[in-house]
Amino acid sequence: MINRQRILNLLAGCQPGRSLPQAFYNDPEVYEFDVATILTRSWFMLGFTAELAGPGSYISVTIGPHPILAVRGRDGRIRAFHNTCRHRGAQICPEGSGSSPRIVCPYHRWTYDLDGRLMAATRMPATFEASSHGLIALRTEILSGCIYVALSDAAPDFEPFRAAAQPHLDTYRLADTKLAFESVLTEKANWKLVMENARECYHCLTGHPDLKISFPMVFEGGLTPVGSDPAVFENLLRSRGLSADTQAGSWWHVGRYPLNPGIETVSMDGRPVVSTPLMDTGGHPLGGFRWATDPNTFCHAFSDYVFMFSALPVGPEETRVISKWLVSSQAREGIDYDLEKLTTVWTKTNLQDRALAENNQRGVNGRGYRPGPYAPGAEELVIRFNDWYRATARDAANAL
Ligand code: FES
Ligand SMILES: [Fe+2]
């Protein structure tokens, strides 16, 4: 049972523009509040339609304590469900991905069709109504090859985000890609510390020596690197029919940004890592496209690959980070791309970020921790994340 008044008192102690009070980063009751309320009022990016090649292909992930499942039906449609059996509640599909002609619970073999209907439940009486024991569906949105789900109707309107992101995402033809690699990391840090770190590059100059070869390290705010001339980048994009506008809602943020001068993609040396590109750049480096949604995801698309980062809360001081790399469906491993060259820069960056987040957690847990001020330009996106969290938490606490 969550003590509503305690949560409201803690929220009243938060200061805009500063990191959160200690309890928000390590207290079991605040964590319980987060998974019961924040996570049920949000959209989560599960991955890409390209991962679900044919009927019966599924992705299974756990959001906080909530196991969920996205599966492609025989009609080609992707649906998401709670991955919890309607008999006695066992988790049906194991975490990860796979393919099966039916969704079969491993406990007593209740069997569901790919559209969630219960097809078979042996030894149940004749009076049993299979039709009222189908899998519980989740709100599902497909955005240019990306799969988003929400655990309840309390999640916000998806359409403003779709309208802003789709024109950009369509240029990468994500439906015609394939998953080249996926990594799963466990981080001993609260999910909000992992996300605050993921929302700023204040730490990048010293924290990411490999990323800095290709990725701009100092942004003026938003997605404009210090020292770059926005007009030059805008004209280049415009000549390719692309918009340079950054757009944002309370829980999402999309925009294009230039890479370091002359750099074509984010890799260890800045040179392309896949010879079959996702888009035709006409020989001009077009930078990256970033789309991010709260509470837990950011993605970058480059001309040759896409990178997705997703942080899933596991406990008050534990977070699972799932990363995915997408390449053209035509790209052949070992011929058109080398897996190590494709993945090294973000793998190193992830490991560096894990060390930073875990170190942040250790300091925050001490008696000496006091919420500190964010840098207005360098941590603008952290300020946005923090504003979103406090507003969503306040609404949720008032509704408890
Ligand atoms: S819990 Fe799934 S069949 Fe019994
Ligand atoms: Fe980082």
Side-chain angles (χ1 to χ4, degrees):
M1 186 69 182
I2 297 163
N3 182 334
R4 172 176 173 272
Q5 195 52 53
R6 176 168 179 252
I7 299 289
L8 285 169
N9 291 346
L10 284 169
L11 284 166
C14 295
Q15 293 170 272
R18 282 183 177 263
S19 59
L20 298 167
Q22 185 186 58
F24 288 94
Y25 299 122
N26 66 6
D27 185 282
E29 187 176 37
V30 175
Y31 179 77
E32 193 190 336
F33 169 77
D34 283 354
V35 299
T37 60
I38 302 286
L39 302 192
T40 58
R41 290 169 172 253
S42 303
W43 287 101
F44 287 87
M45 183 175 171
L46 293 194
F48 303 94
T49 59
E51 295 178 72
L52 304 179
S57 306
Y58 67 82
I59 304 172
S60 158
V61 297
T62 305
I63 300 171
H66 315 291
I68 65 161
L69 173 74
V71 60
R72 193 182 284 278
R74 261 176 283 281
D75 56 1
R77 203 176 131 196
I78 291 171
R79 299 172 179 84
F81 304 101
H82 283 287
N83 188 14
T84 294
C85 183
R86 295 298 307 280
H87 177 218
R88 281 168 47 202
Q91 178 171 324
I92 303 171
C93 294
E95 193 142 336
S97 58
S99 185
S100 173
R102 298 261 193 277
I103 304 166
V104 183
C105 179
Y107 202 175
H108 313 95
R109 314 295 297 174
W110 279 30
T111 299
Y112 303 86
D113 203 357
L114 302 178
D115 60 7
R117 281 177 301 144
L118 179 62
M119 306 296 290
T122 58
R123 299 175 62 179
M124 293 301 287
T127 52
F128 171 65
E129 280 185 20
S131 61
S132 55
H133 289 83
L135 294 177
I136 295 173
L138 298 170
R139 287 171 75 190
T140 309
E141 296 286 352
I142 306 297
L143 166 60
S144 298
C146 308
I147 306 167
Y148 289 84
V149 301
L151 296 170
S152 85
D153 290 340
D157 184 6
F158 194 82
E159 291 314 308
F161 169 53
R162 181 195 301 283
Q166 186 160 336
H168 294 283
L169 284 172
D170 280 352
T171 62
Y172 296 96
R173 303 187 303 252
L174 296 187
D176 187 23
T177 58
K178 65 176 181 181
L179 184 70
F181 191 66
E182 175 173 2
S183 78
V184 181
L185 277 181
T186 296
E187 308 200 357
K188 296 289 184 193
N190 182 271
W191 68 276
K192 295 190 287 292
L193 289 178
V194 172
M195 287 312 298
E196 288 187 18
N197 176 69
R199 288 283 190 259
E200 50 95 354
C201 226
Y202 197 16
H203 66 274
C204 289
L205 206 53
T206 50
H208 298 310
D210 313 285
L211 188 64
K212 91 176 171 198
I213 293 163
S214 48
F215 196 82
M217 290 287 106
V218 184
F219 289 84
E220 280 170 11
L223 294 174
T224 306
V226 167
S228 76
D229 181 349
V232 172
F233 186 57
E234 278 168 30
N235 288 339
L236 180 60
L237 289 178
R238 218 165 277 133
S239 72
R240 309 289 305 161
L242 301 169
S243 157
D245 293 343
T246 294
Q247 290 175 271
S250 61
W251 59 277
W252 56 268
H253 193 262
V254 305
R256 292 189 182 268
Y257 58 92
L259 295 171
N260 288 338
I263 294 290
E264 291 180 56
T265 195
V266 170
S267 63
M268 291 299 281
D269 59 8
R271 289 206 291 269
V273 283
V274 188
S275 63
T276 43
L278 297 174
M279 70 187 307
D280 175 18
T281 64
H284 301 290
L286 292 179
F289 172 64
R290 175 182 176 277
W291 71 108
T293 50
D294 291 328
N296 78 324
T297 305
F298 71 80
C299 301
H300 292 275
F302 307 109
S303 57
D304 57 345
Y305 76 97
V306 170
F307 176 71
M308 166 187 152
F309 172 102
S310 152
L312 295 163
V314 175
E317 296 182 35
E318 187 169 325
T319 303
R320 184 180 300 119
V321 168
I322 297 178
S323 302
K324 297 184 181 188
W325 286 256
L326 278 195
V327 298
S328 161
S329 63
Q330 310 300 313
R332 296 158 296 175
E333 186 183 342
I335 299 169
D336 299 310
Y337 68 99
D338 176 89
L339 201 53
E340 198 180 320
K341 279 196 177 136
L342 172 69
T343 57
T344 299
V345 73
W346 286 111
T347 298
K348 280 176 172 255
T349 301
N350 271 348
L351 293 173
Q352 290 152 357
D353 280 328
R354 176 170 72 175
L356 293 168
E358 292 183 346
N359 189 58
N360 196 173
Q361 181 77 61
R362 283 191 289 274
V364 162
N365 285 349
R367 278 170 57 83
Y369 173 68
R370 306 284 184 279
Y374 297 125
E379 291 175 305
E380 182 189 315
L381 296 179
V382 188
I383 294 170
R384 292 178 54 85
F385 175 79
N386 184 303
D387 288 347
W388 163 83
Y389 175 79
R390 285 182 290 103
T392 309
R394 220 175 2 251
D395 285 351
N398 281 321
L400 278 176

